[in-house]
């Protein structure tokens, strides 16, 4: 992986100036990201509250590699943002002007709508629960529809949407919300859930109805396989609860579950390998695992930060250690932005809406374990191909492809009475052109295939067709493993939030929609926004569908 | 708060019957996406063809010096990108 080690620039100690905030008063202040003792830190100083230092990565080599930029490409991708929603009126600048302002550099890839803050659980760390705040936040169907329209009507429309909470399946109209999202054209619909609706006695039927109405994936919170872990993280034992969720989804054919594990040092870091094994053992349902190093928002002391803080690099190291090297830090993991040009080329060739994961390289890392039908074994996808060479080729290919115009040969020479026929002939030329470009793309990747077989045949078909269903079908029997670290005020880097691709959508009282990047919402805007949209909670009428 | 007494497991990468069934589901799902049989057969032929060429390429590469391979690959990529 560290193929750039011979580059003299790669060996230099990492140093970058950026902007961050004081964790105490949230004033924007200068910050430095620097290397020390093989690790990467951020340091900053607030005139009023003093000095702060926090770790960004425990692996300086890996961090430098993910920030390397070569002649043709690097991991920090140029985004393709939508036009701004709001003017930059606040003189403090980013991130105080959200909704999206002209400083934002990426389009939204995943929309998040919090459809309720009611929940059947009362987790220790959660400060948003309606039972604790006494204030209900629950947008109406009309408001939810308005948020969806906001994201779908943009020049680069969002393709994926996630309903979160609270616990989204507590709402009795959850299925209606899912159907609305499908009807409005979202391609991938996810529920960030603890599994409440799916673990109930009629959970199989519930899963079936959800699937039939368009729910694609459960983003299922999953902290470990031991009850001791669940009691620590959620206050109650949930092992059997989660097993009921999987069993009911299995019976209902809702076969796309992503296990989401919030990882905190000294709490459940030891469960990382167990979760991976659990996913492999349930590979007929589980499509992925997302580890989320804990983001310390809310009132958290500096001391607690030092105790609980775990970085993406720590998670990757733990995976290597706990899987006895099945997934290696310096071979298997790539920043999420790696596939931007590859994805753009596939979308262009398949006439699809592009998926623009142009987030900052620090935001997340991912890899694939795929089931090899020839060996009956789960192995790293990187054993099949040389990823750097494929990405390099895809980048060059996209550079030539992006400005390509549809043929107008016949339209240019035809008279007015022949225009319709000429357009049909030009459409034919365009089809032929696209087929030859698909063939070129597949042939261009061919030299970098390291291992042939059925798996690569499926991959080739995916390139040749490029439509959404076929891309999704590649995920069957494969396991996407990712680590995504959301920011808090201690490790906040303004460059990350400007590139954020996961955006909250909130319907405001004046009927506008606020589009707010994920980390900016949690650190800066949540309190103020919720004051405007929350209403007093009347338990008797609203909690009646809880068990 | 600490769960240090928990044990991690050694990853078993061997696939089970459940996983084999999952792959069959995936292939079936993929085939069902094709609107007609002709493109499906066409895709099968092309993808198998690509794999065949990749295999032959690998065998040939073993007898060609690395430097020559590198130059050949540069020329090949230029041809592919000449559009």
């Amino acid at each position: 992986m560290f193929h750039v080690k011979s580059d003299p620039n790669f060996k230099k100690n990492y140093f970058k100036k950026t902007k961050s905030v004081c964790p105490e008063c949230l004033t924007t202040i200068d910050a430095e990201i620097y290397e020390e003792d093989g690790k990467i830190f951020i340091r900053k100083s607030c005139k009023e509250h003093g000095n702060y230092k926090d770790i960004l990565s425990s692996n300086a080599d890996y961090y430098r590699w993910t920030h390397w930029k070569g002649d043709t490409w690097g991991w920090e991708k140029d985004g393709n943002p939508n036009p701004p929603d709001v003017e930059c009126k606040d003189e403090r600048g980013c991130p105080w002007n959200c909704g999206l302002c002209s400083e934002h550099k990426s389009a939204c890839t995943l929309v998040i709508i919090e459809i309720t803050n009611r929940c059947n659980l009362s987790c220790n760390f959660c400060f948003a629960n309606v039972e604790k705040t006494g204030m209900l936040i629950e947008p109406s169907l009309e408001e939810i529809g308005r948020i969806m329209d906001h994201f779908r009507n943009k020049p680069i429309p969002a393709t994926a949407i996630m309903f979160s909470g609270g616990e989204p399946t507590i709402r009795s109209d959850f299925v209606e919300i899912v159907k609305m999202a499908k009807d409005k054209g979202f391609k991938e619909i996810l529920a960030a859930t603890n599994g409440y609706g799916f673990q109930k006695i009629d959970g199989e039927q519930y899963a079936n109805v959800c699937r039939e109405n368009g729910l694609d994936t459960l983003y299922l919170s999953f902290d470990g396989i031991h009850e001791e872990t669940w009691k620590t993280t959620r206050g109650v034992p949930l092992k059997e609860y989660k097993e009921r969720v999987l069993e009911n989804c299995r019976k209902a054919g809702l076969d796309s579950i992503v296990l989401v594990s919030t990882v905190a040092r000294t709490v459940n870091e030891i469960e990382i390998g167990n979760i991976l094994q659990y996913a492999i053992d349930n590979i007929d349902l589980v499509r992925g695992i997302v580890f989320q190093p804990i983001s310390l928002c809310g009132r958290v002391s500096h001391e607690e930060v030092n105790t609980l803080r775990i970085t993406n690099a720590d998670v990757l190291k733990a995976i290597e250690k706990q899987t006895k090297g099945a997934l290696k830090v310096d071979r298997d993991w790539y920043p999420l932005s790696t596939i931007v040009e590859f994805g753009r080329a596939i979308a262009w060739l398949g006439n699809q809406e592009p998926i623009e994961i142009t987030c900052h390289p620090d935001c997340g890392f991912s890899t694939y374990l795929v089931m090899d039908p020839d060996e009956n074994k789960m192995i790293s996808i990187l054993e099949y191909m040389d990823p750097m060479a494929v990405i390099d080729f895809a980048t060059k290919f996209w550079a030539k492809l992006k400005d390509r115009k549809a043929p107008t040969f016949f339209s240019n020479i035809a008279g007015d009475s022949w225009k319709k026929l000429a357009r049909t002939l030009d459409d034919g030329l365009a089809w032929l052109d696209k087929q030859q470009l698909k063939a070129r793309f597949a042939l261009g990747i061919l030299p970098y295939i390291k291992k042939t077989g059925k798996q690569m045949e499926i991959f080739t078909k995916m390139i040749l067709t490029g439509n959404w269903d076929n891309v999704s079908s590649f995920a069957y029997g494969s396991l996407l493993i990712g680590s995504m670290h959301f920011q808090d005020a201690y490790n906040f880097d303004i460059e990350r939030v400007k590139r954020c691709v996961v955006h909250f959508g909130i319907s405001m009282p004046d009927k506008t929609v606020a589009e707010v990047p994920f980390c900016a919402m949690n650190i800066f805007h949540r309190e103020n926004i919720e004051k405007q949209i929350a209403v007093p909670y009347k338990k008797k009428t609203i909690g009646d569908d809880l068990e | 708060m600490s769960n240090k007494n928990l044990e991690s497991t050694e990853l078993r990468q061997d696939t089970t019957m459940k996983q084999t069934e999952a792959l069959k589901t995936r292939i079936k799902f993929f085939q069902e996406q094709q609107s007609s049989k002709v493109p499906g057969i066409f895709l099968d032929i092309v993808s198998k063809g690509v794999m065949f060429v990749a295999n032959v390429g690998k065998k040939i590469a073993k007898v060609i010096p690395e430097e020559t391979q590198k130059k050949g690959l540069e020329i090949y990529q230029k041809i592919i990108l000449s559009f």
Side-chain angles (χ1 to χ4, degrees):
Chain A
M1 177 181 277
F2 297 121
H3 63 289
V4 295
K5 269 190 168 169
S6 57
D7 183 338
N9 287 325
F10 178 73
K11 290 176 184 166
K12 286 179 188 165
N13 271 11
Y14 189 85
F15 182 83
K16 190 186 89 167
K17 287 189 173 186
T18 186
K19 296 271 184 195
S20 183
V21 292
C22 167
E24 192 62 34
C25 61
L26 297 184
T27 302
T28 304
I29 50 178
D30 291 331
E32 290 174 348
I33 297 173
Y34 65 101
E35 189 171 337
E36 186 181 276
D37 299 332
K39 296 173 182 170
I40 301 289
F41 295 90
I42 185 166
R43 66 184 164 208
K44 51 198 175 180
S45 181
C46 172
K47 281 177 189 167
E48 199 171 331
H49 299 101
N51 300 327
Y52 294 91
K53 175 182 172 182
D54 195 13
I55 189 166
L56 293 187
S57 173
S58 57
N59 186 339
D61 268 357
Y62 188 74
Y63 190 90
R64 258 188 277 120
W65 180 70
T66 58
H67 284 262
W68 173 83
K69 187 165 173 48
D71 294 335
T72 53
W73 67 282
W75 277 275
E76 204 162 293
K77 307 287 185 182
D78 288 332
N80 198 7
N82 277 309
D85 296 330
V86 295
E87 288 176 33
C88 299
K89 286 180 181 166
D90 194 314
E91 61 184 21
R92 291 174 293 175
C94 180
W96 295 103
N97 284 302
C98 303
L100 281 197
C101 74
S102 55
E103 289 193 65
H104 206 78
K105 296 178 177 175
S106 298
C108 176
T109 298
L110 175 66
V111 180
I112 297 188
I113 306 181
E114 288 181 348
I115 60 173
T116 183
N117 66 339
R118 287 186 290 141
C119 189
N120 58 315
L121 299 178
S122 186
C123 304
N124 308 332
F125 56 84
C126 180
F127 51 89
N129 191 316
V130 69
E131 301 288 343
K132 291 179 187 169
T133 63
M135 298 298 282
L136 176 72
I137 298 164
E138 198 158 287
S140 66
L141 284 178
E142 186 194 346
E143 289 170 321
I144 291 169
R146 191 181 304 140
I147 298 169
M148 291 180 190
D149 288 338
H150 168 89
F151 286 97
R152 287 300 297 161
N153 291 338
K154 293 205 159 189
I156 302 172
T159 51
I161 188 165
M162 179 188 282
F163 300 113
S164 73
E167 168 51 42
T169 63
I170 267 185
R171 276 186 73 142
S172 53
D173 56 0
F174 176 69
V175 174
E176 211 175 322
I177 295 168
V178 167
K179 186 173 185 312
M180 191 198 295
K182 209 57 156 184
D183 290 344
K184 288 186 185 289
F186 284 99
K187 303 288 188 294
E188 183 73 15
I189 298 167
L190 305 96
T193 176
N194 65 43
Y196 172 70
F198 305 94
Q199 58 78 41
K200 291 199 287 189
I201 199 147
D202 60 348
E204 179 188 344
Q205 193 188 345
Y206 185 75
N208 205 24
V209 174
C210 285
R211 181 182 58 78
E212 284 174 354
N213 281 277
L215 183 66
D216 294 296
T217 298
L218 261 63
Y219 206 66
L220 181 70
S221 54
F222 199 90
D223 298 335
I225 62 164
H226 294 96
E227 292 292 27
E228 195 181 334
T229 301
W230 286 112
K231 285 180 197 168
T232 308
T233 56
R234 313 280 163 174
V236 285
L238 289 173
K239 192 179 170 191
E240 286 179 15
Y241 178 105
K242 300 290 174 180
E243 278 169 6
R244 284 202 301 278
V245 174
L246 263 69
E247 203 45 49
N248 284 332
C249 287
R250 181 173 280 125
K251 286 179 194 162
L254 180 49
D255 57 358
S256 178
I257 293 177
V258 174
L259 304 179
V260 187
S261 174
T262 303
V263 186
R265 192 180 294 285
T266 72
V267 176
N268 67 334
E269 63 186 309
I270 197 70
E271 292 270 35
I272 289 171
N274 297 334
I275 295 168
L276 202 43
Q277 186 65 63
Y278 190 86
I280 291 175
D281 291 344
N282 290 281
I283 194 69
D284 58 323
L285 291 174
V286 179
R287 302 272 166 266
I289 310 167
V290 176
F291 294 104
Q292 295 180 345
I294 192 165
S295 163
L296 299 158
C297 291
R299 307 296 298 179
V300 181
S301 71
H302 207 167
E303 196 180 55
E304 280 178 291
V305 171
N306 289 333
T307 307
L308 298 170
R309 172 70 77 215
I310 188 165
T311 67
N312 273 325
D314 293 319
V315 171
L316 306 194
K317 192 175 164 190
I319 290 173
E320 178 169 333
K321 191 178 169 193
Q322 294 180 30
T323 64
K324 304 274 192 285
L327 288 169
K328 292 183 169 54
V329 176
D330 63 357
R331 184 193 69 178
D332 292 298
W333 296 93
Y334 285 76
L336 296 174
S337 56
T338 303
I339 59 160
V340 167
E341 286 83 6
F342 185 86
R344 283 173 177 164
I346 292 267
W348 193 96
L349 293 169
N351 296 325
Q352 300 295 305
E353 291 168 3
I355 305 166
E356 295 272 324
I357 311 180
T358 50
C359 54
H360 189 277
D362 290 2
C363 291
F365 303 90
S366 66
T367 190
Y368 258 111
L369 271 180
V370 293
M371 192 167 61
D372 189 311
D374 302 320
E375 289 186 24
N376 288 328
K377 210 178 164 194
M378 297 290 289
I379 59 175
S380 167
I381 196 168
L382 302 183
E383 292 185 26
Y384 286 99
M385 61 181 90
D386 179 349
M388 300 304 295
V390 170
I391 296 302
D392 187 57
F393 169 75
T395 305
K396 289 175 187 164
F397 194 85
W398 174 246
K400 298 212 77 173
L401 196 63
K402 64 182 177 184
D403 297 322
R404 196 165 180 86
K405 303 271 187 300
T408 54
F409 175 77
F410 290 106
S411 298
N412 290 343
I413 59 171
D416 284 349
S417 52
W418 295 94
K419 276 260 156 79
K420 200 174 173 188
L421 176 65
R423 220 172 293 137
T424 308
L425 290 170
D426 278 335
D427 286 348
L429 279 184
W431 185 86
L432 282 174
D433 186 46
K434 200 149 269 191
Q435 303 318 305
Q436 65 95 8
L437 287 167
K438 282 179 187 177
R440 280 177 191 268
F441 194 55
L443 289 170
I445 288 171
L446 194 141
Y448 311 117
I449 293 174
K450 291 196 285 189
K451 186 174 162 66
T452 56
K454 283 180 190 166
Q455 196 65 37
M456 280 294 101
E457 278 180 37
I458 295 168
F459 184 76
T460 309
K461 286 179 184 180
M462 187 183 82
I463 290 171
L464 291 172
T465 56
N467 70 40
W468 187 266
D469 287 327
N470 288 335
V471 173
S472 298
S473 74
F474 184 70
Y476 278 72
S478 306
L479 193 64
L480 172 69
I481 308 163
S483 182
M484 287 177 68
H485 197 173
F486 297 113
Q487 300 190 90
D488 50 54
Y490 287 94
N491 59 16
F492 182 75
D493 175 2
I494 207 164
E495 290 305 316
R496 281 188 59 185
V497 88
K498 283 181 181 176
R499 292 179 174 278
C500 179
V501 296
V502 181
H503 297 178
F504 278 101
I506 309 109
S507 178
M508 301 304 286
D510 63 0
K511 299 199 171 179
T512 59
V513 171
E515 181 177 344
V516 186
F518 190 93
C519 298
M521 176 73 176
N522 286 335
I523 303 171
F524 304 103
H525 300 295
R526 180 175 287 282
E527 199 177 338
N528 181 36
I529 286 176
E530 290 187 350
K531 265 184 204 162
Q532 297 178 58
I533 60 174
V535 294
Y537 174 49
K538 294 173 189 168
K539 193 176 180 179
K540 275 183 191 170
T541 53
I542 293 161
D544 57 3
D545 51 354
L546 280 174
E547 279 188 342
Chain B
M1 286 287 281
S2 175
N3 277 348
K4 282 176 188 168
N5 56 333
L6 298 178
E7 285 181 8
S8 187
T9 50
E10 187 171 343
L11 199 70
R12 303 183 308 277
Q13 288 173 264
D14 291 350
T15 50
T16 61
M17 183 62 83
K18 195 159 56 177
Q19 293 164 334
T20 310
E21 287 303 315
L23 185 67
K24 281 182 189 165
T25 307
R26 173 168 60 153
I27 293 168
K28 194 178 163 204
F29 177 90
F30 184 87
Q31 285 168 344
E32 281 171 3
Q33 303 312 306
Q34 314 308 325
S35 51
S36 76
K37 284 282 170 199
V38 178
I41 293 165
F42 172 75
L43 275 175
D44 275 344
I45 294 168
V46 173
S47 58
K48 282 186 195 305
V50 169
M51 287 308 109
F52 175 76
V53 176
N55 269 328
V56 172
K58 271 182 205 308
K59 281 175 188 162
I60 294 173
K62 282 178 188 167
V63 292
I64 299 175
E66 207 169 307
E67 200 56 35
T68 314
Q69 276 186 51
K70 206 175 163 187
K71 278 181 186 164
L73 203 55
E74 278 174 19
I75 295 166
Y76 176 80
Q77 201 176 76
K78 271 185 187 163
I79 293 167
I80 293 287
L81 291 170
S82 60
F83 61 88

